[in-house]
Amino acid sequence: MRSNVLYSIETKSLTKSFGDETAVNDISLSVEDGEIFGFLGPNGAGKSTTIMILTTLLKPTSGQALISSFDVATNAKQVRQNIGYVQQEITVDEYLTGRENLLLQAKLNHIPKNEIDKRIDEILTLIELTDKQDKTVVTYSGGMRKRLDIAGGLLHRPKVLFLDEPTVGLDIQTRRKIWQYIKKIHDEFKMTIFLTTHYMEEADQLCDRIGIIDDGKIQVIDSPENLKKAMGNEVISIIFEEGENRDSFLSELEKIEFVNKINKDGSKLTLFASNGTEVIPKIFYISSKLNIKITSISLTQPTLDDVFISYTGHEIRDGDSKFNQKREHAKMKRLRA
Ligand SMILES: Nc1ncnc2c1ncn2[C@@H]1O[C@H](COP(=O)(O)OP(=O)(O)O)[C@@H](O)[C@H]1O
Ligand SMILES: [Mg+2]
């Protein structure tokens, strides 16, 4: 029952517009205490804007957001006391040592003097930087810098930690290590974590629940397991040579038993089917009847990529180009003005 559930984050019809552009569009969600919740979406989807509202750095245009029941617009001070925020760009000072960076953070966060050393030692152990604490950050790798950045956001023991694209730009091995540290930190402090990402695997690995966000709107919210399960049992990917029978081919495919949904992306098709092994021979039958040449066909269990395509109609990469198109459009508008 709702009365027993404590929410760390609640938004109600949260909306943010910049001029005639709606970056965050009517978002309502609740994140329970201790949950790891992720926003998965392409560049320009509205992830950072949402985080900036939740961390009191931007005011919403309309709607409401509460952190530990404090309103971000009217109780900003209390909200800030409850949160940690690690932004996308690395913010640690390159010319200070690891420890000096954390000392600076501790002072900025008004941590009691007699607590500072203890907390820094504890956090350095947790992120395994004790050995490197007296080296200047210039000598640190990208992954070490990110770990230090995350550590800085934890010193005041926030109830809610915001991580905006925590592993963007890092190589896959380093990314996996950061995931382990995030899990470790969550096990240790049990805080609520709200993270954003455009990496499917990251959302899948870390999050209890995911909100798929595209063009400022939430398309769906659920656990990675449920999202994948709801896709139907299997995914059939087809690449075919387009010809005059394309339309008949597509409409015949739609009629096959067990085919629940088809996504069409040029000559690439994704079929969501509850019984893939029965469906594949039928696809070949139809294609040979209509003289359509299939260049590749594969059958796989659904992944979060498939979930994303199913809800947004495009791959997450396409989102980047849409983002760039928007930028281009804005640039043209400026040039014309
Ligand atoms: N300060 C701003 N002024 C104007 N437009 C902005 C501003 N910040 C973000 N936007 C626009 O809002 C949309 C969402 O951006 P953002 O929240 O940064 O997306 P994401 O973090 O998902 O990549 C984009 O189209 C972006 O161009
Ligand atoms: Mg962003």
Side-chain angles (χ1 to χ4, degrees):
M1 281 277 86
R2 206 211 122 113
S3 56
N4 296 330
V5 179
L6 294 173
Y7 292 118
S8 289
I9 304 170
E10 273 189 281
T11 75
K12 292 167 194 161
S13 299
L14 195 66
T15 299
K16 177 73 189 179
S17 305
F18 298 106
D20 57 5
E21 156 131 30
T22 308
V24 173
N25 195 346
D26 196 23
I27 286 184
S28 299
L29 56 84
S30 310
V31 180
E32 287 177 27
D33 279 357
E35 221 183 341
I36 303 186
F37 184 91
F39 255 2
L40 175 67
N43 274 335
K47 303 182 298 295
S48 295
T49 305
T50 306
I51 283 205
M52 287 177 77
I53 297 170
L54 297 177
T55 54
T56 77
L57 299 171
L58 272 180
K59 286 241 186 289
T61 307
S62 62
Q64 199 189 20
L66 307 172
I67 304 288
S68 300
S69 305
F70 294 113
D71 191 308
V72 294
T74 52
N75 292 105
K77 195 173 161 216
Q78 287 91 332
V79 169
R80 284 190 206 125
Q81 284 165 352
N82 278 288
I83 62 169
Y85 168 43
V86 183
Q87 62 185 71
Q88 185 177 323
E89 296 76 28
I90 306 255
T91 57
V92 287
D93 189 326
E94 285 199 314
Y95 299 102
L96 298 179
T97 66
R99 191 170 189 98
E100 285 165 349
N101 267 289
L102 293 179
L103 266 171
L104 192 68
Q105 276 304 317
K107 284 180 186 151
L108 287 172
N109 282 300
H110 308 292
I111 292 169
K113 269 214 176 90
N114 56 352
E115 277 274 311
I116 291 179
D117 279 334
K118 198 180 107 224
R119 290 209 196 175
I120 291 180
D121 289 341
E122 178 192 59
I123 227 81
L124 283 168
T125 310
L126 200 67
I127 57 158
E128 294 173 34
L129 280 179
T130 309
D131 293 350
K132 301 275 192 229
Q133 61 175 308
D134 295 321
K135 298 256 184 295
T136 33
V137 171
V138 179
T139 64
Y140 284 23
S141 66
M144 285 160 68
R145 288 172 196 218
K146 194 73 211 183
R147 268 143 70 193
L148 188 63
D149 234 354
I150 295 174
L154 290 171
L155 284 169
H156 61 296
R157 308 218 172 121
K159 288 203 191 105
V160 187
L161 179 66
F162 291 93
L163 301 172
D164 196 1
E165 307 237 14
T167 67
V168 73
L170 298 173
D171 62 77
I172 183 68
Q173 280 89 349
T174 310
R175 225 186 278 159
R176 293 213 170 101
K177 275 201 197 133
I178 299 280
W179 299 344
Q180 286 169 10
Y181 286 109
I182 293 173
K183 282 181 187 163
K184 213 167 141 190
I185 285 163
H186 184 252
D187 284 347
E188 177 75 23
F189 295 112
K190 317 265 187 256
M191 80 277 265
T192 306
I193 297 181
F194 185 104
L195 65 86
T196 73
T197 185
H198 64 268
Y199 297 123
M200 299 287 166
E201 206 188 338
E202 182 159 296
D204 206 357
Q205 289 281 322
L206 286 176
C207 300
D208 299 314
R209 284 191 308 142
I210 296 170
I212 290 183
I213 179 169
D214 195 33
D215 222 358
K217 283 208 183 85
I218 295 278
Q219 308 296 328
V220 64
I221 297 178
D222 212 331
S223 67
E225 294 70 31
N226 285 347
L227 288 171
K228 283 184 275 186
K229 241 188 263 163
M231 282 291 94
N233 298 328
E234 286 153 322
V235 178
I236 301 166
S237 306
I238 303 174
I239 298 174
F240 68 101
E241 279 178 14
E242 297 200 50
E244 52 189 88
N245 287 337
R246 179 181 203 273
D247 291 345
S248 327
F249 181 51
L250 294 178
S251 68
E252 289 281 317
L253 292 182
E254 271 163 7
K255 287 183 207 146
I256 301 177
E257 198 188 353
F258 303 123
V259 171
N260 302 321
K261 188 174 175 172
I262 302 182
N263 266 107
K264 301 157 198 153
D265 187 3
S267 59
K268 197 176 152 198
L269 302 176
T270 313
L271 278 70
F272 300 94
S274 38
N275 193 344
T277 41
E278 295 256 332
V279 170
I280 285 183
K282 290 181 182 155
I283 295 172
F284 280 116
Y285 174 74
I286 293 166
S287 65
S288 74
K289 196 177 73 182
L290 293 173
N291 229 350
I292 294 267
K293 192 177 169 213
I294 291 179
T295 47
S296 117
I297 188 161
S298 66
L299 176 68
T300 48
Q301 296 302 314
T303 64
L304 216 45
D305 288 270
D306 305 314
V307 175
F308 192 87
I309 293 170
S310 152
Y311 281 102
T312 65
H314 61 84
E315 288 182 35
I316 209 157
R317 265 173 223 278
D318 297 343
D320 293 341
S321 56
K322 196 165 119 208
F323 179 60
N324 289 336
Q325 275 168 20
K326 265 195 194 167
R327 284 219 154 144
E328 278 305 305
H329 182 68
K331 204 165 97 189
M332 291 308 289
K333 250 167 69 179
R334 277 201 304 276
L335 286 175
R336 278 198 300 267

